[in-house]
């Protein structure tokens, strides 16, 4: 906390938190015009394979636990499904250093907006805020560091209450999806499974109850891990299970590991 | 002119008088520790007077809306950047008030060619027990009054904010005799309303210094309730990081039923 000079009161106008952070030197600014040949040679830590789909109880968001750097498994208990506010989840594939920072900026931005403006930021505003952060990060991406490809799931509690689900590309384009989304290196397999289940499964994804939805998510991540070394899937010996969180009208529920383990035993193992 | 020290003192005294007149019509605010958290309470406001600052910190204020807004923004900015750069646990009301707010208010107040802040503020920071609660009053000249005494005997579980010294005193006397930090929220709400009413009665009858009787309070509070209640709580037990919430109409219902 810095001491204030007399004229320093209220510098941001109260609605641009990233701008405020930059003015205090707390948030890095990516170079906008990277020079040719400046690509980083270092091996970056990456987090992979996240998925989300709408089901009866809202939106389910899941991610495996592995973080890798090149051929090395760096970490096997990473949490890639991050709670941003009471009704929003951001799941990350890409470089965790950047992604966790983005999540932190986003979380604080939404709270800052609500506190200063005395109203909740709209869902479109939130979706756009993440888009802006990705766009601001693109200078780094062009230099070969810090790529992030997130999924954003939220519940619009204002008029016309409904679950909303978006995925992004690295430049910040947002795509709203009707049923499911998956990003990260294991996502081709996940997308195949979700497409299959949605079209030819016993029920469409939107009609699954919570248990069925969790089982499908676990199966999809386990399948992705089968062919993609960067995806952790389910560590049967170490008993490390994916993170599964649910967004609904009543808020966010992080499923306890016991429950995931039980459903894994019932429907996957 | 102000090179002469006594002129400066005179200018400051004038300025103090001017600000006090500006603050005088402000509807009093009460903050008190109870079992469920810290309750903020006021009546008859024409605009919102109780605000969320950070996860565990709330603010109430009287004064000019423009100045209140500037100060509120500043405090939220400071708390939010600190919470972002370090952690929510590092955001402390004591540091905010003593380190950031007070020196600036003092400087603005004493630079007599510039405009002072026309605002008097009340802050609360909820702890895990009522003894850990911090309630602070920050004045337009940067003066800070806190509930936390160095000896347990002087520690108080409440603070009052109003435009008149006599009103503040009357309310404090009432709270001193009636309030206990172990009281449940329902009881705290009733005490807050009665305290607010006691302050008004005192203001109506400036001759008598003695506290109004309970029958006087009972008859007066019905009339005041029509002004509309604004109340918020910093929830002690909530599992959420954000402890601030405005009390709902249902929660305020028992007040009118009495």
């Amino acid at each position: 906390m810095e001491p204030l000079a007399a004229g320093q009161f209220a510098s941001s106008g109260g609605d641009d938190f990233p701008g405020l952070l930059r003015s205090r030197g707390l948030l890095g600014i990516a170079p906008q015009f990277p020079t040719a040949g400046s690509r980083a040679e270092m091996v970056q830590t990456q987090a992979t394979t996240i998925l989300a789909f709408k089901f009866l109880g809202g939106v389910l968001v899941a991610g495996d636990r592995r973080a890798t750097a090149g051929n090395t498994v760096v970490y096997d208990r990473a949490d890639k499904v991050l709670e941003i506010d009471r009704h929003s989840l951001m799941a990350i594939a890409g470089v965790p250093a950047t992604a966790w920072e983005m999540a932190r900026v986003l979380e604080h931005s939404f709270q800052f907006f609500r506190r200063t403006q005395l109203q909740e930021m709209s869902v479109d505003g939130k979706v756009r805020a993440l888009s802006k952060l990705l766009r601001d990060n693109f200078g780094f991406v062009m230099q070969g560091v810090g790529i992030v490809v997130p999924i954003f799931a939220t519940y619009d509690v204002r008029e016309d209450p409904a679950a909303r689900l978006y995925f992004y590309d690295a430049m910040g384009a947002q795509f709203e999806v009707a049923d499911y989304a998956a990003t990260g290196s294991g996502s081709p397999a996940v997308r195949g499974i979700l497409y299959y289940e949605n079209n030819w499964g016993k029920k469409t994804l939107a009609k699954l109850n919570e248990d069925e939805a969790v089982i499908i998510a676990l199966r999809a991540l386990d399948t992705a891990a089968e062919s993609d070394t960067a995806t952790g899937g389910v560590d049967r010996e170490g008993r490390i299970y994916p993170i599964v969180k649910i967004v609904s009208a009543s808020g966010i529920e992080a499923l306890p590991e016991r429950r995931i383990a039980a459903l894994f035993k019932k429907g996957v193992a | 002119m102000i090179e002469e020290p006594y002129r400066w003192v005179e200018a400051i005294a004038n300025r103090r008088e001017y600000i006090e007149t500006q603050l005088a019509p402000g509807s009093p605010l009460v903050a008190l520790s109870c079992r469920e958290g810290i309750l903020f309470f006021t009546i008859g406001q024409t605009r919102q007077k109780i605000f969320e600052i950070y996860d565990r910190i709330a603010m109430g204020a009287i004064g000019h809306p423009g100045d209140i807004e500037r100060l509120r923004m500043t405090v939220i900015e400071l708390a939010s950047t600190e919470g972002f750069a370090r952690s929510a646990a590092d955001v402390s009301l004591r540091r905010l008030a003593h380190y950031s707010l007070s020196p600036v208010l003092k400087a603005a107040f004493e630079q007599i060619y510039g405009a002072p802040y026309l605002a008097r503020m009340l802050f609360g920071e909820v702890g895990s027990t009522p003894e850990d609660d911090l309630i602070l009053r920050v004045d337009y000249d940067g003066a800070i009054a806190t509930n936390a005494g160095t000896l347990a005997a002087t520690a108080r579980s409440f603070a009052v904010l109003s435009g008149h010294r006599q009103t503040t005193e009357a309310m404090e006397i009432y709270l001193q005799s009636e309030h206990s930090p172990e009281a449940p929220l329902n009881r705290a709400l009733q005490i807050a309303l009665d305290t607010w009413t006691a302050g008004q009665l005192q203001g109506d009858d400036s001759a008598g210094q003695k506290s109004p009787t309970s029958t006087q309070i009972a008859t007066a509070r019905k009339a005041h309730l029509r002004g509309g209640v604004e109340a918020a709580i910093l929830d002690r037990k909530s599992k959420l990081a954000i402890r601030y919430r405005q009390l709902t109409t249902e929660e305020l219902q028992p007040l009118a039923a009495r």
Side-chain angles (χ1 to χ4, degrees):
Chain A
M1 220 175 280
E2 297 185 13
L4 287 168
Q8 214 183 325
F9 272 13
S11 55
S12 76
D15 56 357
D16 178 18
F17 192 65
L20 174 67
L21 291 177
R22 283 192 194 98
S23 74
R24 303 267 162 100
L26 291 169
L27 189 62
I29 299 165
Q32 289 302 303
F33 302 102
T35 47
S38 66
R39 289 182 67 85
E41 296 300 321
M42 61 176 279
V43 181
Q44 297 173 72
T45 305
Q46 298 259 1
T48 42
T49 317
I50 46 170
L51 66 89
F53 58 86
K54 294 184 188 173
F55 72 107
L56 268 184
V59 191
L60 177 147
V61 187
D64 73 308
R65 309 291 297 273
R66 181 168 290 179
T68 58
N71 290 330
T72 315
V73 175
V74 176
Y75 192 42
D76 59 7
R77 287 171 198 277
D79 184 356
K80 305 170 190 179
V81 185
L82 310 170
E83 289 166 38
I84 304 295
D85 64 18
R86 276 194 67 194
H87 290 101
S88 308
L89 284 175
M90 174 183 167
I92 53 158
V95 177
T98 314
W100 284 334
E101 181 84 349
M102 272 184 195
R104 205 168 156 72
V105 173
L106 217 53
E107 179 189 351
H108 282 77
S109 297
F110 296 171
Q111 283 185 30
F112 183 74
F113 185 91
R114 180 174 49 76
R115 284 174 176 141
T116 57
Q117 310 301 304
L118 304 172
Q119 66 182 54
E120 191 76 32
M121 194 188 287
S122 70
V123 165
D124 288 342
K126 289 177 181 176
V127 168
R128 187 73 207 122
L130 177 52
S131 183
K132 177 84 167 51
L133 287 179
L134 288 163
R135 178 81 208 161
D136 288 347
N137 183 52
F138 196 61
F140 281 129
V141 175
M142 286 300 283
Q143 291 191 77
V145 289
I147 188 166
V148 178
V149 189
I151 288 176
F152 188 76
T154 187
Y155 199 93
D156 194 347
V157 287
R158 300 217 272 205
E159 66 246 45
D160 194 17
R164 312 257 301 261
L165 179 57
Y166 301 83
F167 71 94
Y168 290 79
D169 69 9
M171 271 187 85
Q174 77 240 9
F175 305 94
E176 180 164 13
V177 293
D179 31 35
Y180 64 88
T183 66
S185 61
S187 63
V190 170
R191 228 175 279 137
I193 288 179
L194 293 180
Y195 183 82
Y196 183 93
E197 282 293 336
N198 204 25
N199 286 288
W200 303 295
K202 281 185 198 128
K203 297 174 184 173
T204 58
L205 292 173
K207 293 202 171 116
L208 297 178
N209 66 32
E210 194 172 300
D211 284 6
E212 293 163 340
V214 174
I215 287 172
I216 297 275
L218 293 174
R219 283 180 184 168
L221 287 171
D222 207 45
T223 310
E226 180 65 22
S227 56
D228 175 34
T229 52
T231 302
V234 179
D235 182 344
R236 290 164 168 82
E237 281 164 25
R239 298 217 174 89
I240 302 169
Y241 298 95
I243 296 273
V244 182
K245 292 178 187 174
I246 287 163
V247 191
S248 67
S250 56
I252 290 169
E253 189 200 353
L255 295 196
E257 203 175 58
R258 256 181 308 113
R259 175 110 193 275
I260 297 173
L263 287 169
F264 177 80
K265 211 170 154 192
K266 181 181 156 199
V268 188
Chain B
M1 162 187 96
I2 54 154
E3 281 77 30
E4 299 166 58
Y6 81 93
R7 291 282 182 127
W8 183 80
V9 172
E10 198 178 287
I12 290 292
N14 285 343
R15 169 173 275 231
R16 196 176 286 281
E17 200 183 307
Y18 163 70
I19 299 174
E20 291 287 350
T21 337
Q22 296 291 310
L23 294 180
S27 164
L29 270 147
V30 186
L32 37 93
S33 289
C34 61
R35 204 196 294 154
E36 285 87 344
I38 301 180
L39 170 71
F40 280 73
F41 182 95
T42 186
I43 285 186
Q45 84 292 351
T46 46
R47 55 192 154 79
Q48 188 175 344
K49 293 172 80 174
I50 303 171
F51 305 98
E52 174 187 2
I53 298 297
Y54 205 67
D55 290 1
R56 290 168 165 269
I57 302 175
M59 160 185 157
I62 59 171
H64 192 283
D67 284 339
I68 293 175
E69 198 67 354
R70 275 160 77 203
L71 290 164
R72 184 176 76 85
M73 289 287 173
T74 304
V75 180
I76 295 177
E77 280 188 8
L78 286 165
S80 302
T81 44
E82 175 74 1
F84 176 83
R86 296 205 174 85
S87 82
D90 292 298
V91 178
S92 95
L93 175 57
R94 189 184 51 77
R95 286 172 67 212
L96 270 178
H98 288 258
Y99 189 49
S100 301
L101 215 44
S102 174
V104 182
L105 287 167
K106 181 174 190 295
F109 176 66
E110 289 178 350
Q111 283 162 9
I112 58 174
Y113 289 124
Y117 287 94
L118 300 180
R120 181 171 281 157
M121 292 163 287
L122 185 63
F123 291 95
E125 180 180 52
V126 73
S128 50
T129 66
E131 290 80 51
D132 299 328
D133 288 350
L134 179 61
I135 306 178
L136 279 181
R137 199 167 60 203
V138 184
D139 227 325
Y140 55 83
D141 59 357
I144 295 175
T146 157
N147 69 322
T150 39
L151 297 166
T154 61
R156 294 202 290 200
S157 55
F158 58 82
V160 169
L161 191 74
S162 88
H164 289 285
R165 198 169 49 82
Q166 293 93 324
T167 313
T168 308
E169 276 169 14
M171 291 167 79
E172 281 174 348
I173 289 168
Y174 187 83
L175 277 168
Q176 193 83 62
S177 65
E178 297 294 320
H179 180 57
S180 128
E182 282 81 41
L185 179 60
N186 265 339
R187 177 82 187 119
L189 262 173
Q190 289 171 5
I191 291 171
L193 171 61
D194 288 354
T195 305
W196 198 93
T197 313
Q200 293 309 108
L201 286 172
Q202 200 286 327
D204 293 345
D205 178 26
S206 52
Q209 272 298 324
K210 58 184 193 309
S211 309
T213 62
S214 51
T215 26
Q216 274 177 307
I217 289 179
T219 38
R221 74 175 163 230
K222 281 259 184 293
H224 288 310
L225 263 182
R226 280 182 229 123
V229 171
E230 182 184 356
I233 187 169
L234 287 167
D235 202 323
R236 198 186 305 289
K237 294 276 147 56
S238 171
K239 290 205 172 65
L240 301 170
I242 299 161
R243 303 303 180 90
Y244 176 91
R245 70 183 173 85
Q246 282 181 325
L247 293 187
T248 59
T249 323
E250 291 84 69
E251 283 172 296
L252 295 173
Q253 209 57 55
L255 279 183
R258 219 160 29 123

